[in-house]
């Protein structure tokens, strides 16, 4: 079986000391843990700006990159289809970038999808370290076993995953509408008795 490091490079996120200093007119967006979720990806509208300083030259995020949340109880990947401007990710992420010669073998969206599936999640959970806060080491992520089907099959799987995501969004909207409807019934009922 193939492993991730055969197809992609894994880099550490930008090393901020402590919390990310938010600067309204900063030169870059800084993706933090609060800005991502596995269903919707990066919520760019809420991403804070800052000036990434320090000795390390920023690894600017690019279209097609993958962010992997390496800290905390949920370790997942999000595919960046469109980065809206200069941006970095904080130190709680690994930046996964496909190797140039692999772009015709593996789609970044498929890699992110596969990282979020049960077999990969079980592997990551088994190899997480730490007691207070779990984390995944770079070497563990690089050694993640992968299955790489032909590109056409990857595209089919991504189309199914996108349809599933749309269905989840519709179901969530339906659930919220039903909840609002029930709250309205309760309010009217209580007002009628007052």
């Amino acid at each position: 079986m193939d492993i991730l490091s055969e197809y992609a490079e894994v880099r550490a996120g930008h090393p901020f000391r402590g919390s990310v200093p938010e600067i309204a007119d900063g030169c870059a967006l800084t993706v933090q843990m609060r800005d991502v979720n596995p269903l919707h990806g990066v919520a760019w509208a809420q991403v804070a700006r800052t000036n990434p300083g320090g000795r390390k030259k920023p690894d600017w995020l690019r279209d097609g990159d993958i962010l992997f949340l390496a800290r905390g109880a949920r370790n997942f990947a999000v595919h960046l289809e469109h980065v809206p401007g200069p941006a970095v990710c904080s130190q709680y992420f690994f930046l996964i970038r496909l190797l140039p010669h692999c772009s015709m073998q593996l789609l970044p969206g498929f890699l992110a999808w596969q990282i979020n599936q049960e077999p990969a999640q079980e592997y990551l959970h088994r190899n997480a370290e730490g007691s207070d806060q779990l984390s995944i080491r770079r070497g563990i992520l690089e050694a993640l076993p992968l299955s790489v089907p032909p590109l056409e099959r990857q595209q089919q799987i991504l189309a199914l995953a996108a349809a599933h995501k749309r269905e989840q969004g519709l179901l969530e909207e339906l659930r919220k509408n039903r909840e609002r409807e029930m709250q309205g019934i309760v309010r009217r009922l209580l007002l009628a008795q007052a």
Side-chain angles (χ1 to χ4, degrees), residues 27-39:
C27 69
L29 298 165
T30 304
V31 180
Q32 301 176 67
M33 291 172 67
R34 67 182 184 207
D35 302 321
V36 297
N37 81 51
L39 188 59

Side-chain angles (χ1 to χ4, degrees), residues 2 24 31 46 63 89 99 102 109 130-131 147 160 171 175 181:
D2 298 328
V31 180
Q46 73 179 40
D63 295 352
C89 60
L99 298 171
C102 295
S131 51
S147 175
L160 277 175
L171 286 172
R175 187 193 66 75
E181 183 181 356

Side-chain angles (χ1 to χ4, degrees), residues 83-134:
V83 179
V88 296
C89 60
S90 69
Q91 64 270 31
Y92 302 112
F93 294 91
F94 284 124
L95 167 60
I96 302 172
R97 184 170 289 157
L98 289 186
L99 298 171
H101 66 278
C102 295
S103 61
M104 297 305 290
Q105 298 173 314
L106 179 61
L107 299 172
F110 181 78
L111 176 56
W113 174 84
Q114 193 168 160
I115 290 171
N116 294 335
Q117 300 312 302
E118 191 174 325
Q121 289 292 305
E122 285 177 358
Y123 165 85
L124 294 168
H125 183 72
R126 274 196 317 272
N127 291 290
E129 296 177 351
S131 51
D132 275 354
Q133 187 178 41
L134 294 176

